[in-house]
Amino acid sequence: MVSDFALAECSSALARLGRVDRWSDDLQHTAFEELDAWVDSMSERFQIAPEDVALATTFVRLPGVTLRAPDAIHIAAAQRLGATLLTLDHGMARAAAEIGVPCINPAEANAPGDLKD
């Protein structure tokens, strides 16, 4: 599953790369098309709900849990859906674990799909 918010964040990252690396308009367009095609073929889209934002507010206020609001929203949505969160962000993965939301970081050793397994 991929949220509308996650797609917006990925699109923003690609746009930033385009600005920094000064990609051609064609290359930028291709990157967005490939992202959309991947999301359409490999996942189910869902929308962030108001209750995700409300729960994220609770998460960012937890003592000892260091979270930015966007990461907290992703974690809240995963919790609402009973989904396992997939992230490369070590801090987000740590916070998800502290909150009790299952999380996979494919960059970690022994992660599911790790070629060393």
Side-chain angles (χ1 to χ4, degrees), residues 50-80:
E51 57 264 31
D52 299 329
V53 177
L55 185 55
T57 301
T58 301
F59 289 164
V60 298
R61 294 178 178 187
L62 290 172
V65 176
T66 304
L67 267 176
R68 296 172 305 193
D71 292 350
I73 291 170
H74 292 298
I75 293 169
Q79 185 177 66
R80 172 176 57 92

Side-chain angles (χ1 to χ4, degrees), residues 1-2 9-10 12 16 19 23 25 32 35 38-39 48 55 59 61 63 65 75 78 84 93 98 101 103 109 114 116:
M1 294 183 279
V2 174
E9 284 203 302
C10 289
S12 175
R16 183 181 181 285
R19 288 189 302 272
W23 292 351
D25 288 345
F32 290 138
L35 173 62
W38 180 85
V39 169
I48 294 298
L55 185 55
F59 289 164
R61 294 178 178 187
V65 176
I75 293 169
T84 297
E98 290 172 7
V101 174
C103 183
D114 186 357
K116 297 174 189 167

Side-chain angles (χ1 to χ4, degrees), residues 73-91:
I73 291 170
H74 292 298
I75 293 169
Q79 185 177 66
R80 172 176 57 92
L81 297 168
T84 297
L85 182 71
L86 178 80
T87 182
L88 293 171
D89 183 314
H90 298 288

Side-chain angles (χ1 to χ4, degrees), residues 18-36:
R19 288 189 302 272
V20 171
D21 293 339
R22 299 180 189 204
W23 292 351
S24 68
D25 288 345
D26 287 341
L27 183 56
Q28 182 110 23
H29 181 74
T30 298
F32 290 138
E33 281 183 341
E34 289 182 9
L35 173 62
D36 291 339

Side-chain angles (χ1 to χ4, degrees), residues 84 86 103-117:
T84 297
L86 178 80
C103 183
I104 296 172
N105 183 336
E108 295 290 324
N110 300 318
D114 186 357
L115 297 177
K116 297 174 189 167
D117 284 347

